[in-house]
Amino acid sequence: QNLSTGVAVAGVLVLARSVRMTAKFASALDIPVAFVEKNVKLRGKLHHITEKGLEVEHIPISIPFITSIQRKWQSKGLLLVRLAGVELAPGGMAWLQQELKPKQMIWFQLLGREDSALECLVLVNKGRFLSVCLNEEILRQGFGRTARIEGLHHDSRLYWKLHKRLLRAELKALKKNKGIWREESYSERIRDRISNNKFVQTLKQFVSWLRGS
């Protein structure tokens, strides 16, 4: 009898775990605290790219029978996913819109949660066996700066491990003069000085007035 009771309890625990893993999260507050603390990786479908972050539809793990039952009461909503440790520079949003496709599947690893937003490492598939960390890639292209990773303890081992990765990516952009780290050449600086010169601007206005008359 004790054995039967133990098996039944184990079955209930497995079922409860399966329900949690197959649940669809419609908001950041729906995600269990344990998922955030254990830095669980979730899958989702990209819907919009906004100034506040990526709006993603959570796509849970599918398990026959359990998933079909859950679909009847699953609520709809999008998760707000932010690139942890990255401060977007001018041109960053345009780069994201160019790189990411509508309805694209992404993976996001939970690092922290702040109000209605999730601080995450975002992974994008670039082939059958290749995935790219979007946080690192945008720094590598020079369209962002490293920032504090919100949600992780500043003195934790994981914090510094990820922070070093992001700093290395930013350093690559700096060495290659990419994006915001690009330095103007000598000819470009001379051209800018000439175009900003008051006499040259007045001369241009005079020429345009002559053409118009």
Side-chain angles (χ1 to χ4, degrees):
Q1 187 176 359
N2 292 336
L3 180 61
S4 300
T5 303
V7 171
V9 171
V12 170
L13 292 175
V14 171
L15 180 61
R17 181 178 176 83
S18 299
V19 169
R20 292 182 75 186
M21 292 302 296
T22 57
K24 184 173 183 176
F25 304 127
S27 74
L29 298 178
D30 293 341
I31 300 175
V33 176
F35 279 35
V36 181
E37 292 176 345
K38 293 179 181 179
N39 308 125
V40 171
K41 191 183 294 182
L42 301 176
R43 184 179 59 156
K45 185 189 296 183
L46 178 67
H47 278 252
H48 306 105
I49 299 172
T50 70
E51 293 182 356
K52 294 182 178 180
L54 309 178
E55 292 184 350
V56 179
E57 177 189 356
H58 174 225
I59 307 297
I61 296 173
S62 179
I63 298 179
F65 179 69
I66 295 177
T67 302
S68 59
I69 294 176
Q70 285 182 317
R71 281 176 183 163
K72 296 178 181 179
W73 66 77
Q74 282 178 345
S75 56
K76 295 182 179 180
L78 299 177
L79 301 175
L80 181 60
V81 175
R82 292 199 293 228
L83 299 176
V86 176
E87 177 188 345
L88 285 183
M93 269 194 64
W95 183 85
L96 286 173
Q97 291 169 346
Q98 183 179 354
E99 288 296 310
L100 299 176
K101 301 175 183 177
K103 308 297 182 182
Q104 183 171 355
M105 298 297 295
I106 63 173
W107 288 88
F108 51 102
Q109 185 176 4
L110 304 173
L111 299 180
R113 176 171 53 193
E114 185 179 358
D115 298 329
S116 60
L118 299 168
E119 299 288 338
C120 304
L121 285 182
V122 179
L123 303 174
V124 179
N125 289 330
K126 290 292 184 179
R128 186 172 295 180
F129 304 106
L130 179 64
S131 63
V132 174
C133 177
L134 204 59
N135 308 55
E136 293 179 84
E137 188 62 22
I138 199 165
L139 292 173
R140 201 177 289 122
Q141 298 300 325
F143 291 110
R145 296 180 177 88
T146 54
R148 178 184 171 86
I149 304 175
E150 301 295 339
L152 289 180
H153 292 294
H154 192 263
D155 57 350
S156 69
R157 187 175 180 180
L158 178 59
Y159 181 95
W160 288 106
K161 179 182 177 181
L162 295 178
H163 193 58
K164 286 178 182 177
R165 280 174 51 185
L166 297 177
L167 284 174
R168 287 195 202 102
E170 186 180 57
L171 186 60
K172 287 183 179 180
L174 179 61
K175 288 181 177 179
K176 294 182 178 180
N177 293 324
K178 281 189 171 184
I180 59 174
W181 309 111
R182 181 177 176 271
E183 294 183 0
E184 288 185 331
S185 64
Y186 178 75
S187 59
E188 287 174 328
R189 289 198 297 270
I190 294 298
R191 187 180 63 227
D192 290 340
R193 288 178 184 176
I194 293 174
S195 62
N196 293 329
N197 185 276
K198 290 183 179 180
F199 174 75
V200 174
Q201 290 177 350
T202 304
L203 186 60
K204 285 181 179 179
Q205 291 174 358
F206 179 70
V207 171
S208 61
W209 176 79
L210 285 176
R211 289 177 178 176
S213 59

